[in-house]
Amino acid sequence: MPLKDPPHGTAPAPRPLSARSVVLSLLLGAHPPRLPVKDLLRLVEPFGVGGSTLRAALSRMVAAGDLRRTDAVYGLSDRLLARQRRQDEAVRPLTRPWDGDWEMVVITATGRDPAARADLRSRLGELRLAELREGVWLRPANLARPLPPELDRVALTYRGRPDEPASRLVARLWPLPAWATTANTLLTGAAAAETPATRLAAYAAMVRHLLTDPVLPPELLPPHWPGDRLRAAYAEYQRELAGPVGLLGAG
């Protein structure tokens, strides 16, 4: 979703979305992620986006590589399809019972330029790994997904059980109380939003926050963890938003 993530533990203030952000919000929630322009014209109207503004935004998004156009149908580019997959995984993460093992990735590649290092850090964060110290990333092995094989070119991957107690290690790796505070603030703000535009902005902030949820085993989470409530609230809004044209499709 568009909008910049608020810092952990602060009260995000959703702001009106631009035409680009409204279009991306709709398409990122659509399965399949493409819509005819006639449907987009109808869908963006409640968010204060007029027809001429929409058409100008669509042209700019195609030129920028955000969207692809086939006849009068607009769909997400490959880059944004990857973003949609991450968003879907954030709302419906695949987990398995935790047996106490941890995943560990130790970066071994040297001589990489700053852009390559930043890209690798971003990819490791998307895998919900956390950095213990420079070049050492880990998390509990409770996600039902393998680590991508291309990591072998730049890192060594391990699976094992650290000597440090898991609860203490989790506290060092993730600011869980701050994350929960922001999540509860987002839930309150979404419930109070009254107009279509402010609701879309509130739920856009919500799904962005879900992208930073470490999805830890239940036994390592603080009491009253709001992750599942945040996912349920966003999923309900997604179904509501999908109603007019069946945006969710069969996916």
Side-chain angles (χ1 to χ4, degrees):
M1 287 280 178
L3 301 183
K4 186 178 179 181
D5 262 334
H8 283 300
T10 64
R15 53 192 183 275
L17 301 180
S18 65
R20 176 183 181 275
S21 295
V22 171
V23 170
L24 287 182
S25 295
L26 292 170
L27 287 173
L28 285 166
H31 296 77
R34 55 182 180 271
L35 287 170
V37 68
K38 63 179 179 63
D39 286 334
L40 283 169
L41 284 165
R42 178 163 51 88
L43 288 168
V44 302
E45 186 177 359
F47 304 107
V49 178
S52 60
T53 301
L54 172 67
R55 293 182 187 279
L58 291 174
S59 295
R60 288 193 297 268
M61 293 169 76
V62 170
D66 293 330
L67 301 181
R68 291 176 174 172
R69 177 181 175 180
T70 304
D71 296 326
V73 177
Y74 290 85
L76 297 178
S77 65
D78 288 344
R79 173 175 57 84
L80 288 172
L81 285 173
R83 179 173 167 181
Q84 185 189 51
R85 286 192 293 272
R86 293 194 301 272
Q87 178 177 301
D88 289 347
E89 291 166 1
V91 178
R92 302 172 186 84
L94 297 177
T95 62
R96 58 190 173 198
W98 185 50
D99 62 3
D101 279 359
W102 286 63
E103 298 173 345
M104 181 182 295
V105 176
V106 179
I107 307 303
T108 56
T110 59
R112 293 171 298 126
D113 61 50
R117 292 197 300 270
D119 180 66
L120 180 58
R121 290 179 64 87
S122 177
R123 289 167 56 205
L124 293 170
E126 290 167 3
L127 290 166
R128 289 184 162 76
L129 292 155
E131 192 171 31
L132 180 64
R133 62 177 180 81
E134 186 174 0
V136 179
W137 297 71
L138 66 164
R139 64 156 296 112
N142 69 311
L143 296 181
R145 57 102 176 95
L147 292 172
E150 58 266 24
L151 277 180
D152 293 343
R153 297 197 298 268
V154 295
L156 295 175
T157 59
Y158 302 91
R159 186 176 173 125
R161 301 191 181 192
D163 291 334
E164 184 172 351
S167 58
R168 187 187 306 166
L169 190 52
V170 161
R172 293 175 60 192
L173 292 169
W174 290 280
L176 298 185
W179 195 97
T181 296
T182 300
N184 286 320
T185 301
L186 287 166
L187 286 164
T188 301
E194 296 180 349
T195 68
T198 57
R199 294 188 73 224
L200 183 64
Y203 283 97
M206 187 179 290
V207 77
R208 277 198 325 279
H209 195 53
L210 283 172
L211 288 168
T212 67
D213 182 358
V215 191
L216 297 172
E219 54 266 45
L220 296 181
L221 291 172
H224 312 297
W225 181 251
D228 285 344
R229 287 190 290 121
L230 204 67
R231 278 186 281 274
Y234 180 77
E236 178 60 31
Y237 178 72
Q238 197 178 35
R239 286 190 289 270
E240 175 189 328
L241 198 63
V245 291
L247 293 182
L248 294 181

